[in-house]
Amino acid sequence: MSKLTTTGLTKAFSGLVAVNNVSFHMDEGEILGIIGPNGAGKTTFIHLVSGILLPTSGSITFKGNDITYAPAHVRSRMGIARTYQLIHPLENLKVIENVMVGAVFSKDKSLKEARKSAEAICAELELGRLERDTAQLSILEIKKMEIARALANEPEVLFLDEVMAGLNSDETKQLIATVQRIARERKLAVGVVEHVMGVIRELTHRVIVLEAGELIAEGTYETVSKNPRVIEAYLGGAA
Amino acid sequence: MKFKTSYLVAAVVAAIMIAFPTFLGAYPLNVARSVMTYMALAITWDMLLRSGQISFGIAGLFGLGSYASILAVLRGGMDPLLSIVFATVFSGAMAYALGFAILRLRAMYFSITTLALMEIFRIVIHNMHDFSGGPEGVVLPTVIFGGNASALYWLCLGGLFITIGASWFFEKSKMHLALTAIRNDETSARSNGVNIFKYLLITFVVTSAMQGMMGAIQVQSYGFTAPDTAFDANFTLLPLAIALLGGIHSTVGPMAGAVLLGVAAEWLKLKIPYGHLIVYGIIIILVILFMPQGIVGMIRRAGRAAGRAGKQTGANHE
Ligand SMILES: Nc1ncnc2c1ncn2[C@@H]1O[C@H](COP(=O)(O)OP(=O)(O)OP(=O)(O)O)[C@@H](O)[C@H]1O
Ligand SMILES: [Mg+2]
């Protein structure tokens, strides 16, 4: 059964339709690629399913419950977590506290329990020296911290919006392996937005393609990458 | 170990403060009460500030608590001590109701609305002649505890201890994570399960209740009040200055600021009776310009820098 589905999901920003009539589903344990040229509506789509934005029309269900208008904090408590394309560290909290936030507020853990699970998750991601301020972190470490914080919510569905952007190829390889392992061990459904097609090919089981807000193709990376409409969309975007 | 020593220091300071009346006369005790009142208000202001919300409504809740207490005694025949509890609950309840409207606002809109609310409270009290005594104010037949200077001091100290306790709890509990997350990044907070409105409402209710409590303690200690006394803008401005001077986003910052500014204020009042408010203003401006982290923030930074310097000489090869 699908964990997360959308039906006819649409978001218009005063005239501009950023997400247009998108119906999709995400199943347990699957890593889904969400691709499309710049401005295709990928980030807006994640904002809609995570509750950061409310849709103009259409609906969203999570494990059979209608969550179309549920507040973001309710969705994270239900099991939908995400990271941001533009990093969102909590700069007045230590690294460990940043990660604890997810555990404390989504899973109602005590500070002590939250610290323990945050430490375990950071160890899994090989993120160390957790008493540091976020200002002292490298870009890779910030991305790891934000993934760790999302995981501390103990989600069933996780969206990663361009977490690999800005990393070198070794770091990217390492993070791909980590995401695969985490998804497998937790039976997590992961939605991945990336512009680097190598990452999408390596990481995902299935891909959806957005162009100008519309879902134009769906399937494995191999089939989708041969789809003329997709090639056209990317070439059109590049021209 | 570190925790134990800080608890010990806190216990010793508390014991000395409790013992003050055994070796201080009525005048210094009076000054101490004024300092403690501003200290408590500064702490409550800072508690809400930790969520990023800047309130200009302290005097409003302080005045509301004053009037709730004095009118409960005068019109309702309530026991004075009980009236302080009543005023605390009343101010908290009022904040709860108002919170639903104003805690959706942010930044300047929130600040200005809190300021306007204070003015509304004052005008309402001002115009309810028969019940509130109008602009001339109201007088109690007797001051609480027969005006005994030591008892009044301990009453005020009790209010201060409650405030410090609440602030300390906010620093050590998940309130700290909630409020800091809200201040830093609301989007991130929401995505990690933080019910922003709930934590703002809790904080607004708790801090407003304590502001009302300090107003009630003050009014019972002086035995009279009037709109211009209860809603004096100083009750908004001085706590801000104190917290900014001492260092925001902590309990110790406002405490240090209150002692410094409180003592300076008494001294200035004697030296320049008409100009001391100007000096306050200058202090606020200088602090904001040159020490945005306040005294405590500067000390912390110096401590961290010293720590880093020590580490670097110790371990050069990283
Ligand atoms: N808050 C907003 N108000 C108005 N327009 C917006 C807003 N957010 C996004 N848009 C517009 O919606 C469209 C989709 O943007 P979105 O960020 O979802 O694209 P994206 O696929 O994530 O792009 P990228 O690959 O560059 O991250 C863009 O044209 C963008 O300018
Ligand atoms: Mg995007």
Side-chain angles (χ1 to χ4, degrees), chain A residues 152-169:
Chain A
N153 287 278
E154 294 176 19
E156 294 177 41
V157 174
L158 170 66
F159 287 95
L160 302 174
D161 195 352
E162 300 198 20
V163 278
M164 314 283 177
L167 305 186
N168 66 36
S169 65

Side-chain angles (χ1 to χ4, degrees), chain B residues 42 45-46 49 237-250 252-265 268 279-280 282-299:
Chain B
W45 180 74
D46 185 77
L49 186 73
L237 295 177
L238 289 188
L240 257 81
I242 285 168
L244 289 171
L245 174 70
I248 53 176
H249 304 147
S250 73
V252 286
M255 289 173 72
V259 172
L260 275 171
L261 210 54
V263 171
L268 283 171
V279 180
Y280 281 140
I282 293 171
I283 291 176
I284 296 178
I285 292 166
L286 289 180
V287 166
I288 291 173
L289 284 180
F290 298 110
M291 304 195 319
Q293 303 296 314
I295 292 168
V296 170
M298 273 204 348
I299 292 171

Side-chain angles (χ1 to χ4, degrees), chain B residues 189-225:
Chain B
R190 290 202 288 156
S191 293
N192 288 285
V194 179
N195 183 343
I196 292 178
F197 180 72
K198 175 176 136 186
Y199 288 100
L200 289 183
L201 188 63
I202 292 172
T203 310
F204 188 56
V205 167
V206 168
T207 56
S208 298
M210 291 187 302
Q211 287 158 7
M213 172 183 73
M214 294 316 291
I217 289 172
Q218 165 115 343
V219 83
Q220 291 298 332
S221 303
Y222 284 95
F224 72 91
T225 200

Side-chain angles (χ1 to χ4, degrees), chain B residues 32-317:
Chain B
R33 262 168 47 209
S34 154
V35 170
M36 292 191 300
T37 301
Y38 285 120
M39 186 185 289
L41 295 178
I43 291 170
T44 59
W45 180 74
D46 185 77
M47 286 166 72
L48 187 60
L49 186 73
R50 294 171 207 170
S51 75
Q53 317 310 313
I54 300 171
S55 167
F56 292 147
I58 311 171
L61 275 309
F62 184 89
L64 197 68
S66 309
Y67 267 98
S69 168
I70 200 166
L71 293 176
V73 172
L74 279 179
R75 312 280 185 244
M78 197 182 277
D79 172 69
L81 210 49
L82 189 63
S83 82
I84 296 172
V85 178
F86 167 74
T88 308
V89 174
F90 181 82
S91 308
M94 200 68 156
Y96 181 83
L98 293 170
F100 281 87
I102 68 171
L103 292 174
R104 313 270 176 207
L105 305 171
R106 288 295 180 272
M108 176 175 87
Y109 302 98
F110 175 82
S111 303
I112 288 173
T113 307
T114 56
L115 188 65
L117 279 175
M118 175 189 91
E119 199 51 21
I120 292 171
F121 291 156
R122 196 183 64 79
I123 291 168
V124 168
I125 299 275
H126 197 275
N127 290 317
M128 289 199 313
H129 285 267
D130 295 342
F131 184 66
S132 71
E136 290 80 36
V138 270
V139 183
L140 285 170
T142 56
V143 171
I144 197 167
F145 304 133
N148 177 299
S150 304
L152 294 184
Y153 170 85
W154 282 319
L155 177 66
C156 192
L157 184 64
L160 175 63
F161 278 173
I162 290 173
T163 310
I164 292 174
S167 176
W168 181 84
F169 174 78
F170 270 43
E171 278 192 75
K172 297 298 170 195
S173 68
K174 68 177 183 177
M175 292 302 293
H176 168 63
L177 293 184
L179 298 185
T180 312
I182 294 169
R183 173 171 99 242
N184 281 173
D185 193 325
E186 291 200 19
T187 307
S188 198
R190 290 202 288 156
S191 293
N192 288 285
V194 179
N195 183 343
I196 292 178
F197 180 72
K198 175 176 136 186
Y199 288 100
L200 289 183
L201 188 63
I202 292 172
T203 310
F204 188 56
V205 167
V206 168
T207 56
S208 298
M210 291 187 302
Q211 287 158 7
M213 172 183 73
M214 294 316 291
I217 289 172
Q218 165 115 343
V219 83
Q220 291 298 332
S221 303
Y222 284 95
F224 72 91
T225 200
D228 292 339
T229 314
F231 298 98
D232 190 330
N234 273 343
F235 294 124
T236 293
L237 295 177
L238 289 188
L240 257 81
I242 285 168
L244 289 171
L245 174 70
I248 53 176
H249 304 147
S250 73
T251 308
V252 286
M255 289 173 72
V259 172
L260 275 171
L261 210 54
V263 171
E266 280 311 308
W267 185 77
L268 283 171
K269 237 187 262 177
L270 297 177
K271 292 283 168 200
I272 25 174
Y274 296 103
H276 64 279
L277 280 178
I278 297 172
V279 180
Y280 281 140
I282 293 171
I283 291 176
I284 296 178
I285 292 166
L286 289 180
V287 166
I288 291 173
L289 284 180
F290 298 110
M291 304 195 319
Q293 303 296 314
I295 292 168
V296 170
M298 273 204 348
I299 292 171
R300 274 200 194 133
R301 232 190 358 233
R304 261 207 301 271
R308 257 203 304 279
K311 242 185 238 158
Q312 263 161 17
T313 49
N316 260 328
H317 314 280

Side-chain angles (χ1 to χ4, degrees), chain A residues 13 16 18 36-45 85 161-162 195:
Chain A
F13 292 114
L16 180 113
N38 288 114
K42 306 178 294 292
T43 297
T44 306
F45 182 73
Q85 181 172 356
D161 195 352
E162 300 198 20
H195 279 291

Side-chain angles (χ1 to χ4, degrees), chain A residues 5-49:
Chain A
T5 62
T6 68
T7 313
L9 200 63
T10 300
K11 177 70 183 182
F13 292 114
S14 56
L16 180 113
V17 185
V19 171
N20 195 355
N21 199 25
V22 171
S23 301
F24 103 128
H25 67 98
M26 243 169 112
D27 302 332
E28 182 178 296
E30 111 171 302
I31 302 186
L32 175 75
I34 303 169
I35 63 171
N38 288 114
K42 306 178 294 292
T43 297
T44 306
F45 182 73
I46 296 177
H47 283 337
L48 292 174
V49 287

Side-chain angles (χ1 to χ4, degrees), chain A residues 132-153:
Chain A
R132 279 181 293 173
D133 290 331
T134 58
Q136 294 167 263
L137 300 188
S138 70
I139 184 73
L140 175 65
E141 288 175 317
I142 289 200
K143 301 247 168 170
K144 281 184 174 179
M145 180 185 83
E146 298 207 356
I147 298 174
R149 187 171 60 200
L151 289 174
N153 287 278

